[in-house]
Structure formats: C-alpha cells, structure tokens
Amino acid sequence: MSLQSGPAPHIHAGTSVSLVMRRVLYALVPGVAAMTLLFGWGVLVNVLVAVFAAVATETAMLRLRGRPVRLFLSDWSAIVTAVLLALALPPLLPAWITVLGVAFGLVFGKHLYGGLGYNPFNPAMVGYVVLLIAFPQAMTQWLPPTLMADTTLGPLETLRAMLTGGLPEGLSVDAITHATPLDHVRTELGDGLTIGELRGGPLFGVFAGSGWEWINLLFLAGGAWLLWMRVIRWQIPVGVLAGMAVPALVFWVANPDQHLSPLFHLLSGGAMLGAFFIATDPVSAATTPRGRLLFGLGIGLLAWIIRTWGGYPDGIAFAVLLMNMTVPLLDRYTRPRIFGHGGGTS
C-alpha cells in the first residue's frame, strides 16, 4: 500500500491574506476616526477617493496581465495600500493628485514587479514619495486641528474643494491651511528660535503637536491589537520606535533647546502609523526575527535623521523605502541557525 501526501505545510495556520488585510483595516478605524474629528471631512474623502482609484487601477492592471480579477481583488491588499496612502495625505489635497499617487504606487510599486508578493518596495510609500516630490506645496498644506481652527468646512464644502478647488467666498487655501508641528518646528529652528520659545505656541499639545498626539496614541492602540491578534510581529514596531527615540533622547538631553524630545518624535507625524501599519508590510519588510528588528531600527533612525537635518519634516516614507532596499541583505545574513549546522549563512 502506498501513502500519498501533499507538500508541506500540512497544518493550515487558519489565516489568509484577505483576513490579515481586513484586520489591518479594522485596526486603523480608531486613528481614522480621530483624524476625521480633528482635521475634518477631507480625511474620509481622501480615503474614499483612494479606495476607488485603487480598485480601478488594480482591476485594469490585472486585466492587462491576464490574471483573475475577482481572486486578487478580493485579497484587500490594494485597498489597504490605498487607505495607508490616503492617511498620509493633507485633508484638502485635490482628488486628482490622490488618484495619481494611488495609481503610481500600484502600477510602479506593485504590478511591474509581478504583483502582490513580489514587490520589493512598499507601494503606498512609493506613491506618497512621488507625490511629495512632484507636488511639494500641495503636500504640505495641512489643516490645523479643529480645536484651533478659525474656519471649518462642512462635508459638501470639503468635497467641492477637493474635486474642483473651489472654496467658500472669502476663503483661500493659504488662509485655512497650516504647517504641521514638525514642519513648523523645523522652519522656526532654522530661523534661530529655540524649542523653549516654540512650546507655548498653539500648535503644541501636552507632549507633541496639538491633536497629533491623540492620533498617534490611537494608531498605537490599533497596532497593539494587531500584535495581540498576531497579525504583525513585535520586532519591526519596537525597532522603529527605539530607532527614533534613542538618538532623540541622546540629543535632547545634550541640547534641549535645539532638539525635540523623544515623546514629541514618537507622538508626531506618521510615527505610529509608520511603525505599526506601514513598516510591517509582510512583503517588502525583512522576514527573519533579527532582520525585522534591524529593519525597524534602520527606519526609526533614518526617519529621525531626516526630521532633524533633512529637507522634509517627517521622513517615515523615505526611511521605509531606503530600508526596503536592504531587505535581501538583512534576510541573507540574519537567517536563524539550522539545528546541527554551524552557521546561519551559506
């Protein structure tokens, strides 16, 4: 009698790509709600426009490549890419720019490499960086949190502004937009002011930028749920946060007038969104335990360097793409040692 068995693995893990992606979307809900509350309806419009563009682009590319549309579209990966990119965009960004970023990210960051599972770079960050370089002014025009805004736009006014560029009479984009706290600090430090002189300003909250600290705390809560559900591993988010906080602490202790505190860095900009949702992309991140930790540390360190001395106020996107390039090397030299063998590399 001959026994037949299929190739390993023989035990199903009980999960799937679509389930993982849906859980990532669930974990984003608290942060998205906080962003909408603080920055207005433009956050939701950005998400809806990005999702529509992602579904259309994904469908077109799958048809061009002769791949089954329903099968790959139902894995939710394109929608996760769209939502992550949308959350990094200013709330009043013209809709056509959002569509362009999503399409570029999916086409040049994903499908030209062979689709999901083969892309070396994070598609959402590919789209974001292209928009940041191509439209630098539009990408820095954030609304102030509603707590300190003189004027807030309703849902129809927001939709009209993002689709046509039209604002209510007497308003202009420059009048209702504002620099982010990270951008404001970078500019004012360049003009010779100190952190102590800036902290009393309206853009500062208790620990970081006004409003941004709550957004980052809620993305942290969503990331903690993903860890608890074992959707992501701890090494990358811990690495990102440590890679950002440790050098920030050293320089802040040495010169608090010229360097932001570690808490300000961790609770400002895209720190928590990047650490728990973007850097943990299972395709473009390192896969070994030590590799994941080094990958995260590199992202955190590079983001802090860009924030401190670079030309951009945040730096998460550039740091993720730069570390994506190191993944093959990290995976090669951090492979766990095989039992009975002397080393982990061959």
Side-chain angles (χ1 to χ4, degrees):
M1 183 179 73
S2 63
L3 296 176
Q4 295 182 348
S5 62
H10 300 286
I11 301 177
H12 194 272
T15 188
S16 63
V17 174
S18 62
L19 179 60
V20 168
M21 296 297 170
R22 289 201 305 274
R23 284 175 172 170
V24 171
L25 293 173
Y26 300 154
L28 285 168
V29 169
V32 174
M35 289 188 70
T36 305
L37 185 66
L38 288 165
F39 293 116
W41 295 97
V43 175
L44 290 182
V45 175
N46 269 342
V47 170
L48 293 175
V49 169
V51 168
F52 175 80
V55 171
T57 305
E58 188 86 347
T59 301
M61 291 305 298
L62 288 171
R63 289 192 185 281
L64 284 173
R65 295 176 55 215
R67 309 304 295 271
V69 174
R70 182 183 293 273
L71 175 65
F72 287 100
L73 204 58
S74 62
D75 66 17
W76 293 76
S77 62
I79 293 176
V80 169
T81 297
V83 173
L84 291 177
L85 174 55
L87 295 179
L89 301 177
L92 277 188
L93 190 71
W96 67 270
I97 296 182
T98 302
V99 172
L100 184 64
V102 171
F104 192 95
L106 288 175
V107 173
F108 291 90
K110 179 179 176 182
H111 283 283
L112 288 189
Y113 290 101
L116 182 66
Y118 300 96
N119 50 292
F121 298 102
N122 186 305
M125 294 300 96
V126 170
Y128 177 79
V129 165
V130 166
L131 294 185
L132 191 62
I133 294 173
F135 309 99
Q137 184 176 1
M139 289 291 285
T140 55
Q141 291 175 325
W142 277 81
L143 293 173
T146 51
L147 300 173
M148 53 177 287
D150 297 326
T151 304
T152 56
L153 301 180
L156 292 180
E157 293 171 325
T158 301
L159 188 63
R160 176 169 170 260
M162 298 175 73
L163 293 178
T164 68
L167 287 169
E169 189 175 353
L171 291 181
S172 66
V173 173
D174 290 337
I176 61 174
T177 57
H178 210 291
T180 64
L182 284 171
D183 199 5
H184 176 68
V185 169
R186 186 173 62 92
T187 302
E188 297 300 326
L189 287 179
D191 290 339
L193 297 181
T194 65
I195 299 293
E197 292 171 320
L198 296 174
R199 282 208 65 88
L203 283 179
F204 280 76
V206 179
F207 301 110
S210 178
W212 287 94
E213 50 199 4
W214 292 108
I215 293 169
N216 273 279
L217 285 173
L218 288 170
F219 280 131
L220 169 63
W225 182 73
L226 290 180
L227 284 171
W228 183 63
M229 294 297 292
R230 299 188 177 183
V231 173
I232 60 174
R233 306 293 181 88
W234 64 269
Q235 290 94 344
I236 291 178
V238 169
V240 172
L241 301 182
M244 184 179 291
V246 171
L249 176 63
V250 172
F251 278 76
W252 177 62
V253 169
N255 188 355
D257 283 337
Q258 291 297 314
H259 293 280
L260 293 165
S261 71
L263 265 181
F264 194 100
H265 277 287
L266 295 180
L267 298 178
S268 293
M272 294 299 172
L273 183 67
F276 288 94
F277 294 93
I278 296 173
T280 52
D281 174 23
V283 176
S284 57
T287 56
T288 66
R290 279 191 301 149
R292 286 195 289 264
L293 187 59
L294 293 172
F295 178 77
L297 285 168
I299 291 174
L301 178 61
L302 286 171
W304 174 77
I305 289 173
I306 294 171
R307 285 180 173 189
T308 305
W309 294 292
Y312 293 95
D314 202 328
I316 293 290
F318 289 103
V320 168
L321 295 180
L322 287 170
M323 288 306 296
N324 284 159
M325 290 191 288
T326 70
V327 165
L329 198 66
L330 289 175
D331 281 346
R332 176 177 175 80
Y333 288 103
T334 60
R335 271 185 286 180
R337 185 174 67 87
I338 301 172
F339 183 75
H341 290 248
T345 61
S346 60

